[in-house]
Every structure is written in structure tokens, then in C-alpha cells.
Amino acid sequence: MFQPSDFDRAAVRARAEQFRHQVARRLDGSLTEDEFKPLRLMNGLYLQLHAYMLRVAIPYGTINARQMCQLAKIADVWDRGYGHFTTRQNIQFNWPKLVDVPDMIDALADVGMHAIQTSGNAIRNTTTDAFAGAAADEIADPRPYAELIRQWSTDHPEFQFLPRKFKIAINGARADRAAIRGHDVGLQVVEREGEIGFQVFVGGGLGRTPMIAKELRSFLPVADLLPYLESIVAAWNLAGRRDNKYKARIKITVHELGIETFSEMVEAEFPARRAAFKGADQAILADLKAQFAPPVLPARESESFEAALNVDALLRDWAARSVSPHHNPDYAVVTVSLKDHGAPPGDATSDQMRLLAELAERYGQSELRISHEQNVILPHIAKADLPALFEALRKGGLATANIGLTSDIIACPGMDYCALATARSIPLAQQIATHFRDLGLEQEIGALKIKISGCINACGHHHLGHIGILGLDRAGVENYQITLGGDATETMALGERAGPGFAYTEVIPALERLLRAYLELRENATESFLETLRRLGPDPFKEALYAEAQRHAAQ
């Protein structure tokens, strides 16, 4: 497993010491909050509705058991006993006191972690497939490339003051589990005549102007990865708008210039930047590939697991939702739901973090991953160990069998925490989860992605939900728009707004009408909500959403 170098550790320690002095100057009044703001943002510290919030980087969502235990300790000592895993595969602590933040950052540095470039107008954490290195459908492990990008982009002197934040995602499997075309740059690992390379997409993003990224290169050789990325960011850094932050993201630049013109700008930058790379990056990449080599997994029998499935209905239900194919047939990839019905999506208590770390050490090569869907992945579990793992998760309240179902909701923090939010999202997610569980409809509805954002910034990825919910403020009242047909996979699509919004109390009844209509309209029990929507179009679903409400209004 990858280990930070001595250089990395020294750099993180030096940054922690520097920030400790900056915090001290803020606390003694030498710095105003406005003067302190750019310094704290460079170190992942936000000022939210009720308190500061520290966002900690989990590069490409990969974390080991010791690091997870340290996050649990930080939650207990300096926060309120829990952390919130995010859609960028990071973790946030929502209640730190400013005076404690330097100690928290020192504690992170003790295990090779930090909060650098988790905020501000910089290149953020590169995200990837949470099943990387284990998935049965993988072309190549994307993590060595993600780590190479991390090392290149961290404190890159040319890109410290970009027009806006910049997000990269890379996917190494045939199925897109990293939503790559929803990013500023999306990289899909491809193989052409035996050579590994990348299909490059640019100009994707969500927020107030959602766009799906366009193809920039159909095949980029591995050796050209960093100079080509550098050319993209450099072209945007020069051409991107700085007069209006809402027009500053690269998607707007690409949209206004056109993909052909932007491509010409990138290709004009590329030769000189390519020549400046002398091969050191490829030597580093070779070392990274060795560090990310798959663990040696001993042969294990799997008959005992199959036998247990036949006699244990709870295990069978959980395995059907949480267990995915591993490239080694004796093993499986396990997704642990952080979406127990009625719980805030993505939250984990310190006790749950310790349990996950313990189980990773006992059964899973000490490896854990954080998914962009706010769940935890154990990537290398022997099938023979699945019954024991399930029982331990069940006792710890972590065996909810709802992966991919109605209650497996992505939700941003909303007005519970976020200073930008204009509506609640967490309470709505909690109520949706319990409502459809109590109706007994969750299993019958089947595969469904609901995503909720509490403002136009779309941190809950509502544009990519089969059902998206966007909370807005309308004259001081929360109002929720519903979008239909979004998709975060290799068939990515943006959801289309269904019609007028609903008041907070009207959202769940509207969803119930919508999903009961789906159950009536589907061809059979295997046709998913998204498949039915694509087959019939949105009209019958809009009818379900609005006709009954209009009838009631007319009475």
C-alpha cells in the first residue's frame, strides 16, 4: 500500500507549523477574519453557519486502518464524536474550535494526512473509483495516476491562484464509478492495441450551470498525462474569466470558446510543456505502480459463504446489496452503508470508524475506501469471511442492506451546517429514507439514485440523480425543485426539471406519487426507475407529480 515519502511528511509538518502561527495571529487579533480567510482556505478550514469546519483530504478516497482510527480520535477529542464523509471522498469535521485546529492538523500529520487544497481556488482532491485495484471490470488501477496527479498539483507554483476551484476524476474500470464527465477534467483509462492511455474529457461540472464534459482527446499516452493536464490548466488559467466567479469555471470557458478553439489552445501549450518533462514523472509513476501493486491474497474456499446464504435471510439480503465482484473469485468488494434509515447520510461516529478500521485490519488488508456516494468500501474481503464480517457490522449498526436503493441518498449538509445553503437537505433525506421503509416499498422500488442539494451550488449532485431534489429559498420559504433522469455513470445525463417546486412538507407526498406511478408503469420488476423513465419519457411522471396536486388545489 502507498506510503507518503519523507519529503511528503516534512512538507506536511512544515505546513502544519506555518498554519499554527497563522491561527495564533488570528486569535491574538493580529489578523482580521478577512485577512485570515485566504490562509485558512489554503488549509481546508471554512467558517460555516455555526462554527469552523475542517475538511480533511483523503486522496482518491484511499485510507488505511491506522488513519481511520486517527480520524476517530480527532472526532472524539476535538469535535463532537463523528465525521462526515463527502462526495469528494474527503471527511469533514463540523464543530472544531479555532484554537484546537492546529492540534487537529498535527494529529493528521502523525498519520501522513492533511487538509491542503481541500478548499480555495486550487486543484482539489483527485477522485476515482472506490473499487479501484479490486474491481472485476477494471482495465487498470487508476490510483497510481491519481497519486501522480496529487504530487504534481500540490502547491504547484503556477496554479496557486486559479480563476476557480478545479476538479479531476479518473476511472480505470469499464463501468464509470467516478462520475468523470461531471468534472473539470475527466480521465477514462482505455486500452488501444495493448497500450494503456486515457480518453480525456474537459468542461464538465454541476452547480448553477451544469454541463457534461466534452471529449478533448480520444487517446492520450500515459507519458503525456502530466504535461497535457498542465497544458489544459494553463490554457484555462489564462483564458478563464476572473470578473465573475459564476462564470469562472473551465466549463464556461470551454462553452464560450467552443471545444475546437479550446483544444487548439491546449495543443499550442503542449509541445513546450511536454519538452520540459524529462522523464522524472515516469520514474515516479513506476515507483507508484509498485506501491499500489495488488496485495497477495491467499486462496480461500467460498463454499461456506454460499452455504450460509442458503440459511441466513438477513445475510442474503445484505450480500445482495453490499457485495460486488472482485477480480479474484475467492474475494469480494464490500460496500458498507453509512445511510442507516433516519441517519444523516455520510456521517460516521467515532465508534463506527474504529469498528471499520478493526474489520479492515482483521479481514481486509487494512484497506478502506471512501466512495463519492458517501459510503465506505472494504475492497479485499475473502468470501469465506463475509458471514463473520456481516455479523460484526450488524452489531455495530453498519449492516443496512440499502446500497443502491431509495434510502442510499446523497445529500449535502444544507442549512444544518453550510453558510451557502438556502434549504434543508439532511432532514429531508432522513424523512425520505424512513418514509419508504415504513411503507415497505423500498425493496419493491429497487435501484434508485436520489440526490439532494440545499442550494444552487449542487454539492449533493442533484443534477445526476435519477430523482434530483434542489432546495431553494423563495421569498423566505424553502421550495424544492425535482429533476428527473440524471445519471452519474458511463451513460451520464443531466436531470430535467419536472415543473414547479414543492414546499418542504409536500416533497415526500410528491415522491410517493412519483414512485407509485413508476411501479404501475414499469414493464416488469426488473425494469428500473431510470429505464422506465427513458422508455416512456417524463410526461407520465410529471402527470403523477402535478395532476393530483392540481386537482386538490381546484377543490
Side-chain angles (χ1 to χ4, degrees), residues 30-350:
S30 301
L31 293 175
T32 66
E33 183 58 37
D34 283 346
E35 291 168 334
F36 181 55
K37 182 178 178 180
L39 303 175
R40 62 174 169 78
L41 288 178
M42 292 175 71
N43 293 279
L45 188 64
Y46 287 75
L47 183 56
Q48 295 286 47
L49 271 181
H50 312 294
Y52 285 100
M53 178 272 282
L54 181 63
R55 180 180 294 156
V56 177
I58 301 178
Y60 32 92
T62 295
I63 186 172
N64 62 40
R66 180 168 172 252
Q67 291 171 325
M68 184 67 97
C69 283
Q70 192 75 339
L71 295 179
K73 174 186 172 182
I74 289 170
D76 279 341
V77 175
W78 294 294
D79 209 83
R80 294 189 178 180
Y82 71 95
H84 176 75
F85 291 104
T86 77
T87 54
R88 286 214 70 73
Q89 300 177 292
N90 294 318
I91 186 170
Q92 295 178 177
F93 294 104
N94 287 312
W95 300 100
K97 296 176 182 174
L98 181 57
V99 68
D100 293 332
V101 171
D103 291 337
M104 296 171 76
I105 290 179
D106 277 347
L108 291 169
D110 289 344
V111 293
M113 300 182 75
H114 58 79
I116 299 168
Q117 290 186 198
T118 57
S119 58
N121 294 333
I123 299 174
R124 303 287 186 88
N125 183 28
T126 296
T127 52
T128 191
D129 179 9
F131 292 5
D137 65 341
E138 191 163 85
I139 301 166
D141 188 343
R143 292 174 302 159
Y145 308 110
E147 173 59 23
L148 186 70
I149 294 169
R150 187 197 69 79
Q151 294 188 17
W152 159 77
S153 63
T154 300
D155 285 340
H156 193 301
E158 187 178 348
F159 303 139
Q160 288 301 292
F161 298 99
L162 294 169
R164 284 286 280 139
K165 56 190 171 185
F166 195 85
K167 299 177 179 179
I168 301 170
I170 178 169
N171 183 59
R174 301 188 192 286
D176 181 5
R177 287 183 286 267
I180 58 170
R181 295 184 70 190
H183 287 74
D184 296 301
V185 165
L187 299 168
Q188 171 63 50
V189 174
V190 293
E191 184 175 4
R192 189 178 71 178
E193 298 177 354
E195 180 186 359
I196 294 294
F198 304 97
Q199 187 179 15
V200 182
F201 299 94
V202 68
L206 302 178
R208 65 184 62 225
T209 313
M211 294 185 185
I212 295 176
K214 300 175 177 64
E215 183 183 274
L216 192 62
R217 275 276 195 106
S218 61
F219 186 86
L220 180 74
V222 167
D224 291 345
L225 175 60
L226 292 189
Y228 197 72
L229 278 179
E230 198 163 278
S231 301
I232 293 172
V233 183
W236 168 62
N237 198 22
L238 290 172
R241 292 177 59 173
R242 294 174 186 265
D243 61 320
N244 182 342
K245 72 175 186 178
Y246 302 118
K247 303 287 186 183
R249 295 290 292 271
I250 194 172
K251 60 188 176 185
I252 303 297
T253 306
V254 172
H255 177 71
E256 291 184 344
L257 295 176
I259 187 66
E260 294 81 10
T261 299
F262 187 76
S263 175
E264 290 171 2
M265 295 171 62
V266 173
E267 297 299 336
E269 284 279 340
F270 182 63
R273 293 183 182 271
R274 181 69 186 84
F277 279 78
K278 304 295 185 182
D281 57 324
Q282 295 308 296
I284 293 170
L285 179 61
D287 177 63
L288 292 174
K289 285 182 176 178
Q291 293 199 56
F292 282 101
V296 176
L297 300 174
R300 299 284 301 274
E301 58 80 25
S302 57
E303 291 79 6
S304 58
F305 171 58
E306 301 297 335
L309 288 178
N310 290 330
V311 298
D312 187 337
L314 291 177
L315 173 65
R316 190 163 58 245
D317 290 345
W318 172 79
R321 305 306 324 172
S322 299
V323 175
S324 299
H326 193 282
H327 61 69
N328 183 327
D330 292 345
Y331 287 76
V333 180
V334 172
T335 302
V336 179
S337 173
L338 295 182
K339 317 283 182 61
D340 192 19
H341 297 90
D347 280 10
T349 67
S350 56

Side-chain angles (χ1 to χ4, degrees), residues 292-541:
F292 282 101
V296 176
L297 300 174
R300 299 284 301 274
E301 58 80 25
S302 57
E303 291 79 6
S304 58
F305 171 58
E306 301 297 335
L309 288 178
N310 290 330
V311 298
D312 187 337
L314 291 177
L315 173 65
R316 190 163 58 245
D317 290 345
W318 172 79
R321 305 306 324 172
S322 299
V323 175
S324 299
H326 193 282
H327 61 69
N328 183 327
D330 292 345
Y331 287 76
V333 180
V334 172
T335 302
V336 179
S337 173
L338 295 182
K339 317 283 182 61
D340 192 19
H341 297 90
D347 280 10
T349 67
S350 56
D351 286 343
Q352 289 174 327
M353 290 187 223
R354 290 191 190 88
L355 175 61
L356 288 165
E358 177 191 336
L359 296 174
E361 281 195 327
R362 189 187 308 168
Y363 299 116
Q365 308 289 322
S366 291
E367 278 196 49
L368 305 104
R369 312 283 175 76
I370 310 304
S371 75
H372 81 276
E373 295 189 320
Q374 300 178 287
N375 292 310
V376 174
I377 311 299
L378 297 168
H380 307 292
I381 304 296
K383 289 181 179 176
D385 292 331
L386 287 172
L389 176 76
F390 167 69
E391 187 59 22
L393 290 171
R394 191 186 64 77
K395 289 178 179 176
L398 287 168
T400 306
N402 65 344
I403 297 300
L405 298 180
T406 305
S407 58
D408 187 11
I409 298 169
I410 289 179
C412 73
M415 285 181 64
D416 285 64
Y417 300 104
C418 181
L420 301 176
T422 52
R424 291 168 288 174
S425 53
I426 290 175
L428 188 58
Q430 292 170 297
Q431 291 174 39
I432 291 170
T434 54
H435 180 80
F436 286 95
R437 177 202 61 189
D438 295 344
L439 287 177
L441 288 178
E442 185 167 28
Q443 295 294 329
E444 187 175 354
I445 292 168
L448 183 65
K449 302 287 187 184
I450 296 178
K451 306 188 181 194
I452 307 173
S453 299
C455 79
I456 197 70
N457 292 305
C459 294
H461 296 183
H462 66 276
H463 300 294
L464 301 180
H466 301 167
I467 297 173
I469 302 173
L470 168 61
L472 297 169
D473 179 291
R474 290 282 186 261
V477 178
E478 291 168 291
N479 184 273
Y480 292 83
Q481 295 176 359
I482 291 180
T483 54
L484 300 173
D487 178 6
T489 71
E490 61 277 10
T491 54
M492 181 170 283
L494 299 173
E496 295 184 7
R497 183 179 168 186
F502 295 91
Y504 183 87
T505 55
E506 295 173 340
V507 174
I508 291 177
L511 288 182
E512 185 177 336
R513 293 195 299 276
L514 182 68
L515 291 171
R516 286 191 183 280
Y518 153 65
L519 294 175
E520 291 292 325
L521 292 166
R522 65 184 179 182
E523 284 190 326
N524 53 58
T526 65
E527 187 180 56
S528 70
F529 174 85
L530 186 61
E531 290 167 341
T532 305
L533 178 66
R534 286 177 170 172
R535 177 172 58 82
L536 296 175
D539 288 349
F541 296 93

